[in-house]
Amino acid sequence: MLLTEEHVIGLAPDDASRKAGSALASPGKWVSKGANADALWGECQGSGSKPYQTQVDIVNVAFKCSCPSRKFPCKHGIGLMLLYARQKDAFTDNTPPAWVSEWLSKRAEKKVEKTDKPVDENAQAKRLLARQQKVADGITELMLWIKDIVRNGLLQIPEKGAAYWENMARRMVDAQAPGLAGMVRTLGETNFYSEGWQFSFLDQLLRIYLVIQGYTQSADLDELLQQELRALIGFTQNQEALKLQTGIKDSWLVLSKQTNEEENLVTERYWLYGQQSRQSALVLQFYVRNQTRPEVLITPGIALQGELVFFPSPTPLRAIIKYPVSNVSLPEVPGLEGWTQVTDTETTLFEQMPVRSERPYIVQQLTPVQHNLQWWLKDQEEKLMPLKTGYSNIWKLLALSGGKPLNMALLGKEQQYEPLGAWHNGSYKLL
C-alpha cells in the first residue's frame, strides 16, 4: 500500500501528535526500522534506556507502540510512517523481528476466532422480531406526530424549540429506528429564517412519509427496494457477509473526504468514482477518537486499485472496500458532457428511488459564473446549474478556474451541486 505524507498527516489524532511525529521522521531517531508487505516496524530511542518498539499493520490498519501514550497512532507511529513515506528505500530490513511477528499472528488469530464464532440463528430471529415490533410501534407514533404537523399547519413551526424535534428523534432511537431519528433531526435543522423554508421543510417531511409508507408496505416491492428502505429505517447489513459477495474491480478515484465528529465518534465519508465502471460510490468509516482507527487507509486525491461491494439498493451507492487495495495517482477521466446528461441520470435514479441521498458526478468543462447575485456552473452548451446554497469554497474555485472551464467532480442531486475538486494543469485539486 502506498503511504503518502498527506495520508499519514491525516491519520494523526491531533495537532500535537502531528508536530511531534514530524520531528521523529528522521533516520537518526530510529535504532532500527524495517518493512514488508504486511507491516512497518522500528525502534525509536526515547528518554529511557530501552527504545520504544513501534509497529504498524498496513493491511488491516492497526498500531502498537511500547510507549505510554494512549493515542492511536502515537507520535512514534506517525514518525515511522512519515519516514517510510519520504524514504522508503531506507527500510532495507524485510524480516520482521519476533515482537512484530507475534503481534501480527495474534491479530490474525483473533480475526479467525471472530469469523468462526457460531451464530445462534434462533436467538437472532427472536431479536429481529422484537426489533421489528419496536420499529412498528415507533412508526405509529411518528405518523401521528407528522399528521399533527400537517393538521395544525406550518405557521407556528418556526417557534418550535429544539426539544420538540429532539424528543421525537430520541423516541425513534428508542424504537431502534436510528435512520428515522436522523431524518427527524434533519427536519428540525431547517433554516426557518430563510426565504421559502416551507419548501425544504415539506420536502423533508414528505421523504420521511415516503420511507414509512414504503417500509410498511414493502411486501409488494422489489427485493432491492425492500432492503434499501430497511437501511433508511436503520437496519444494518452484515458487512462480513457482504464482503463475501463479488464486487466491482476498478480504479476508484477518491474525490473527497467529509468528516463529522459527535461525542468522540468520528464518521468519515469518502466519495469515490470508478474510472472504468463510471459507478459512483460512498464509503463510510467509523472510529472512536484516540482509541481506534479507520479500517482502511484512504487519502482524498488519489485512486484505489481494488474491489468494492455495494449495499443492496435499486440505485447502488454505499459500498465497502474488499482487500487488498493499493493507492495510485489520480488520473483525469472523461466525465459527463454537461448538465443535460446529469439531469437525465438524475431522472432515471429518481424513478428507481424517490428517497435517496446525493451522489458524486464528474462533469466536463464547467465554468463558475455569477448571475442575479448567485453563483452558477455553466457547461459547454451555455446551460446553467446553481451552486449549492452556502457553498464556501467559491473563491478557491474561481482562483483555479481564472474564468476558464475545468473538469470538475461534483456532489449533489436534482438541482443543486457543490464542487468537490477540479482538474487543473493535469492534476486533481481538492476544494
Side-chain angles (χ1 to χ4, degrees):
M1 176 175 289
L2 176 64
L3 280 175
T4 64
E5 289 190 46
E6 181 184 9
H7 194 170
V8 177
I9 291 298
L11 289 171
D14 50 43
D15 290 335
S17 299
R18 192 175 296 116
K19 183 177 179 180
S22 298
L24 294 175
S26 170
K29 300 289 186 179
W30 296 87
V31 178
S32 67
K33 57 187 177 297
N36 59 20
D38 299 321
L40 306 178
W41 61 88
E43 294 177 288
C44 184
Q45 186 61 58
S47 57
S49 58
K50 293 183 178 180
Y52 294 123
Q53 295 178 333
T54 306
Q55 46 210 313
V56 180
D57 182 342
I58 59 177
V59 176
N60 298 303
V61 192
F63 312 93
K64 184 180 180 181
C65 185
S66 59
C67 75
S69 174
R70 293 185 178 182
K71 297 179 180 180
F72 295 91
C74 65
K75 63 180 181 180
H76 304 102
I78 295 294
L80 182 65
M81 289 188 290
L82 274 177
L83 179 58
Y84 182 77
R86 295 170 181 173
Q87 303 180 37
K88 185 176 181 180
D89 294 339
F91 288 71
T92 55
D93 185 4
N94 303 124
T95 304
W99 49 276
V100 175
S101 299
E102 291 173 1
W103 178 62
L104 292 174
S105 297
K106 289 180 180 179
R107 285 181 51 78
E109 289 173 2
K110 289 181 179 180
K111 189 173 182 180
V112 171
E113 289 175 1
K114 184 178 179 180
T115 304
D116 293 344
K117 185 177 180 179
V119 177
D120 188 335
E121 295 184 358
N122 290 331
Q124 191 177 59
K126 289 181 180 179
R127 288 194 298 269
L128 179 59
L129 287 174
R131 180 179 182 183
Q132 289 174 337
Q133 185 58 54
K134 283 187 175 182
V135 170
D137 293 342
I139 283 177
T140 299
E141 189 171 337
L142 181 57
M143 282 297 297
L144 289 174
W145 185 77
I146 291 174
K147 290 177 180 178
D148 285 342
I149 290 177
V150 175
R151 186 181 300 111
N152 295 328
L154 302 184
L155 186 62
Q156 306 299 323
I157 287 295
E159 300 176 8
K160 302 289 186 183
Y164 178 77
W165 314 101
E166 186 59 25
N167 288 342
M168 180 50 67
R170 289 179 178 176
R171 175 66 188 94
M172 292 303 99
V173 172
D174 292 341
Q176 295 185 306
L180 290 177
M183 297 181 79
V184 170
R185 288 192 173 104
T186 299
L187 189 67
E189 291 168 359
T190 302
N191 183 3
F192 297 113
Y193 296 99
S194 64
E195 184 71 25
W197 64 265
Q198 298 91 339
F199 295 102
S200 59
F201 180 86
L202 287 173
D203 181 68
Q204 180 65 10
L205 194 69
L206 179 60
R207 292 166 69 86
I208 298 174
Y209 179 80
L210 286 175
V211 170
I212 290 174
Q213 291 300 310
Y215 173 76
T216 55
Q217 302 176 46
S218 60
D220 300 326
L221 301 178
D222 177 77
E223 175 65 23
L224 286 177
L225 186 53
Q226 288 185 33
Q227 295 193 53
E228 174 78 355
L229 289 166
R230 284 173 56 83
L232 289 171
I233 292 291
F235 289 89
T236 57
Q237 173 80 35
N238 186 322
Q239 296 195 21
E240 293 303 319
L242 201 61
K243 284 184 178 181
L244 298 177
Q245 300 180 17
T246 302
I248 299 176
K249 294 181 180 179
D250 204 339
S251 179
W252 296 95
L253 316 184
V254 185
L255 302 176
S256 182
K257 170 187 175 182
Q258 298 171 335
T259 303
N260 178 61
E261 182 171 351
E262 185 175 347
E263 297 181 355
N264 287 334
L265 178 63
V266 180
T267 302
E268 294 181 345
R269 300 164 66 89
Y270 294 93
W271 298 102
L272 280 64
Y273 188 84
Q275 184 178 3
Q276 303 298 328
S277 64
R278 305 291 181 90
Q279 172 69 50
S280 300
L282 168 63
V283 174
L284 298 180
Q285 297 201 120
F286 308 92
Y287 61 93
V288 179
R289 175 71 68 185
N290 295 333
Q291 296 185 33
T292 58
R293 295 304 306 170
E295 187 177 3
V296 183
L297 299 174
I298 308 176
T299 303
I302 65 169
L304 294 176
Q305 290 280 35
E307 184 177 356
L308 263 61
V309 180
F310 287 82
F311 285 72
S313 169
T315 58
L317 180 65
R318 189 183 170 191
I320 57 174
I321 300 174
K322 291 183 69 172
Y323 298 102
V325 298
S326 60
N327 301 344
V328 297
S329 59
L330 195 154
E332 186 163 3
V333 300
L336 301 179
E337 294 180 359
W339 291 120
T340 298
Q341 290 190 0
V342 174
T343 54
D344 287 347
T345 303
E346 280 289 296
T347 300
T348 301
L349 292 171
F350 190 80
E351 290 174 350
Q352 296 172 323
M353 186 61 194
V355 182
R356 56 185 179 80
S357 61
E358 55 196 2
R359 63 176 53 223
Y361 292 95
I362 295 178
V363 184
Q364 299 177 21
Q365 301 297 285
L366 296 178
T367 307
V369 296
Q370 193 175 43
H371 177 65
N372 289 339
L373 301 179
Q374 183 177 350
W375 287 103
W376 306 67
L377 293 175
K378 180 178 68 175
D379 67 10
Q380 301 174 82
E381 297 180 347
E382 303 291 319
K383 294 182 178 179
L384 299 175
M385 183 68 72
L387 277 177
K388 186 175 182 180
T389 303
Y391 179 67
S392 60
N393 291 322
I394 180 61
W395 302 114
K396 186 175 181 179
L397 177 62
L398 290 172
L400 280 177
S401 170
K404 297 181 180 180
L406 298 171
N407 291 350
M408 296 184 192
L410 309 167
L411 178 66
K413 65 175 183 176
E414 298 173 4
Q415 296 182 354
Q416 278 204 336
Y417 298 84
E418 60 176 315
L420 301 174
W423 280 268
H424 181 259
N425 293 335
S427 63
Y428 184 72
K429 306 294 184 182
L430 294 168
L431 294 170

